[in-house]
């Protein structure tokens, strides 16, 4: 059974190298923000409880980190960053009738940020479990093939 530190942060690193835990969340944010801005991802109207494309990007990024044995915090941060990318696009680019200060205040509203956090905890944990489970399954298949 791994320690709580390993579960949350991943195993300790022996040598310095580029850390994907630091690169993947901003990349997911930028990808989602840009994709919605240029129209590659769309919301088909109505009230949005979950931005599906943003969640999918975050889940894929989080599962990829889990396969690399990164911790839960990296998975949560990745999904949160992707969902925040959608919110930033919606509030900063989608609410053109308001001043920039009003749009920033709306983006940084505590209720919205907490709501994204709850979604990130749920989807990040699921993505992490799928990634870890997939990595374990592949490892066992490789062991059996080597026998």
């Amino acid at each position: 059974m791994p320690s709580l530190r390993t579960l949350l942060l991943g195993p300790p690193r022996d040598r310095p190298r580029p850390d994907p835990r630091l690169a993947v969340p901003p990349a997911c944010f930028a990808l989602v923000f840009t994709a919605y801005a240029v129209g590659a991802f769309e919301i088909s109207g109505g009230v949005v409880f979950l931005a599906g494309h943003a969640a999918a990007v975050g889940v894929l990024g989080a599962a990829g980190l889990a396969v690399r044995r990164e911790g839960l915090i990296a998975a949560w941060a990745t999904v949160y960053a992707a969902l925040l990318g959608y919110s930033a696009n919606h509030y900063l680019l989608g609410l053109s009738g308001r001043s920039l200060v009003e749009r920033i205040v709306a983006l940084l509203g505590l209720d919205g940020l907490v709501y994204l956090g709850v979604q990130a905890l749920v989807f990040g944990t699921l993505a992490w479990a799928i990634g870890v489970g997939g990595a374990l399954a592949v490892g066992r298949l490789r062991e059996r093939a080597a026998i």
Side-chain angles (χ1 to χ4, degrees), residues 42-48:
E42 290 184 354
I43 296 292
S44 59
V47 177
V48 178

Side-chain angles (χ1 to χ4, degrees), residues 21-39:
R21 294 178 290 192
L22 300 176
V24 172
C28 285
F29 175 89
L31 174 72
V32 168
F33 182 86
T34 304
Y36 279 108
V38 300

Side-chain angles (χ1 to χ4, degrees), residues 1-15:
M1 184 75 180
S3 69
L4 182 61
R5 183 208 178 281
T6 302
L7 184 67
L8 292 176
L9 298 175
R13 306 233 179 256
D14 292 340
R15 59 191 191 328

